[in-house]
Amino acid sequence: MAHDIVFFLAPDDAAAAATRLWGPGEAFESVTCHFIEPDAAIAEWDMYFRAPSAETPPLEQLHAWRPWPEWVTASSNDGIEVFALPRRLTRALGQASAAELEGLASRWSTRLRSQDGDDMTDDDLLAVVQGVSRLAAAAASTRGGLYSWSF
C-alpha cells in the first residue's frame, strides 16, 4: 500500500514523468491522500462512472477491470509509481455532479473499509474525490492530463 499519493495536473506525460523521483511538489496543482492503492482507486473510480451503482462490485470484478491505469514511467523496485488517469475517467470526474461525487466517495469508502478495516486511510475521501474532480475539470480546460504519483 502506498504511503503518500498525489493526484496532480500536468501538461503532458513527459512533465508527469519528470516528477518520478521527488513527486510533483508545488510545481503542479495537486490533491494529496494517504494509505490507498492509487491504481485500484483509479480503476474503482473508472468502474463507477462506467457502471454507476451504490453497490460495491466484487473484488474479482475490480481486478479484471480494463483499462487499468497506465504507467508514465517504467516500473522499478523503489516503490514509486506515476500513473496517467484514463482520459474518459478524467472527463467523467471533471463533469461529475456533486451527487455523483458523493456516491463515488461512499462506494469507495465502503470498499476500503471492507478491505482495510482499522487500517483504512483517515483522509476525508469525499474531499479527495472532490479535489481530484476539480483537477479533472482544469485538465479539460488546459488540455493537460491527470496523473497520480505515489510512494
Side-chain angles (χ1 to χ4, degrees), residues 5-36:
I5 302 88
V6 181
F7 293 97
F8 66 100
L9 182 62
D12 54 37
D13 287 357
T19 70
R20 188 187 173 297
L21 290 180
W22 308 109
E26 294 184 18
F28 298 102
E29 190 175 352
S30 64
V31 172
T32 302
C33 58
H34 306 89
F35 303 111
I36 65 163

Side-chain angles (χ1 to χ4, degrees), residues 12-96:
D12 54 37
D13 287 357
T19 70
R20 188 187 173 297
L21 290 180
W22 308 109
E26 294 184 18
F28 298 102
E29 190 175 352
S30 64
V31 172
T32 302
C33 58
H34 306 89
F35 303 111
I36 65 163
E37 291 295 339
D39 52 348
I42 294 166
E44 174 94 29
W45 299 351
D46 194 32
M47 181 182 280
Y48 176 82
F49 285 109
R50 298 278 293 193
S53 168
E55 297 298 316
T56 306
L59 197 54
E60 303 80 40
Q61 188 178 356
L62 176 64
H63 289 157
W65 187 253
R66 298 293 178 255
W68 206 239
E70 293 185 21
W71 293 16
V72 176
T73 58
S75 174
S76 67
N77 291 329
D78 61 5
I80 297 172
E81 298 175 319
V82 181
F83 292 111
L85 276 71
R87 291 276 182 203
R88 73 174 183 218
L89 174 58
T90 301
R91 279 190 303 277
L93 282 165
Q95 297 169 357

